[in-house]
Amino acid sequence: MASYCERCWNTFANEIAEADGATAAPRPNPDPDDVTWIEPPLCTECGALVRVYPTNYDRWVSLAMVELPAKDVPEAFRWRLTRLPGRSPIPTDIVAVRVRGIDPLPSEPVVPAHRMTCIPEWGEP
């Protein structure tokens, strides 16, 4: 496999993120002493709840709150949530991976990118 320098990797990852729509800001790290419930963030455009996950190339993406059958989601918006391989049976690290290469079956569930369903609030330009 090829190895990139830090600058080249950032350029490459930013290009992939722009093409995939993975331009969300990372979630802030919660204070370990704070035991209040953490609500999902709201979309700044439409006000809907979103799920923000890291991608497999170190960028962040806003995803819809529900899974849909692949037949209802255009190819450009299909994502899957997958657990990073590890020794723990408890899912600790989950990343979003774009569905590419082999198309899923029409009934197979995928997570749509939030930008597919985002409709700005009335009165916005």
Side-chain angles (χ1 to χ4, degrees):
M1 288 189 64
S3 179
Y4 291 101
C5 69
E6 186 72 23
R7 186 177 59 103
C8 293
W9 167 249
N10 281 325
T11 301
F12 181 63
N14 288 338
E15 289 173 3
I16 295 172
E18 188 67 34
D20 288 348
T23 56
R27 298 282 312 261
N29 287 333
D31 180 12
D33 295 330
D34 187 6
V35 293
T36 59
W37 180 258
I38 299 174
E39 294 290 329
L42 297 175
C43 173
T44 57
E45 297 290 321
C46 67
L49 295 174
V50 294
R51 295 190 285 180
V52 178
Y53 281 98
T55 65
N56 56 332
Y57 48 88
D58 301 329
R59 299 301 181 263
W60 294 75
V61 64
S62 295
L63 300 176
M65 295 296 287
V66 296
E67 291 184 344
L68 295 173
K71 66 180 179 174
D72 296 336
V73 180
E75 270 184 56
F77 301 105
R78 294 178 185 163
W79 290 83
R80 282 203 179 97
L81 297 176
T82 186
R83 187 172 73 134
L84 291 175
R87 296 181 183 176
S88 172
I90 301 169
T92 54
D93 292 317
I94 296 177
V95 295
V97 178
R98 268 287 313 277
V99 177
R100 292 192 170 112
I102 299 173
D103 287 333
L105 296 172
S107 61
E108 195 172 342
V110 295
V111 181
H114 174 70
R115 65 187 174 119
M116 179 187 106
T117 59
C118 186
I119 301 172
E121 291 181 356
W122 293 104
E124 297 291 322

